[in-house]
Amino acid sequence: QVHPGLRTPRLPVWLCGVSGRHGVLFGTDSLLLSDWKMERVFHLYFYSGQQEQTTTARLTIDTHSHRWEEDRSEDASGPEKRRPSVEMAIRTKWAGATVSWNGTDPFF
């Protein structure tokens, strides 16, 4: 039998399968699960266990800032416009959100 804590987590957590690799994206604020107002600017943490990752990445998610869509006239497929897979996965939940890696080089 499945424990109720696994059916209804106390903290937001997502298991991610991105580009054939797996990781965990999680938050430490339980209000993110129950209060939509908390989805304005918040932090998520990402850990993949890959060799290139030495610490858990702290990501800042801003759902009201659309810097990544500002200039649509530029080539979106250009290398300077490509986004890490984790950011695109986050945008499946929060469309248009900007993701700051807070000084960590995107590795996934």
Side-chain angles (χ1 to χ4, degrees), residues 9-16 22-33 42-49 53 55-61 86 89-90 93-94 99-102 107:
R10 293 182 185 156
L11 295 171
V13 60
W14 297 271
L15 299 176
C16 303
H22 297 89
V24 177
L25 187 65
F26 62 95
T28 57
D29 187 351
S30 62
L31 290 177
L32 191 56
L33 292 172
F42 55 95
H43 301 286
L44 293 177
Y45 299 86
F46 182 74
Y47 184 74
S48 68
Q53 183 178 9
T55 61
T56 301
R58 181 177 184 255
L59 309 175
T60 301
I61 315 302
V86 170
I90 289 169
K93 169 108 174 109
W94 295 283
V99 178
S100 170
W101 287 74
N102 298 309
F107 53 84

Side-chain angles (χ1 to χ4, degrees), residues 34-52:
S34 60
D35 186 358
W36 63 270
K37 292 177 240 165
M38 297 301 293
E39 293 185 2
R40 167 80 170 84
V41 176
F42 55 95
H43 301 286
L44 293 177
Y45 299 86
F46 182 74
Y47 184 74
S48 68
Q50 301 294 321
Q51 279 185 319
E52 62 269 18

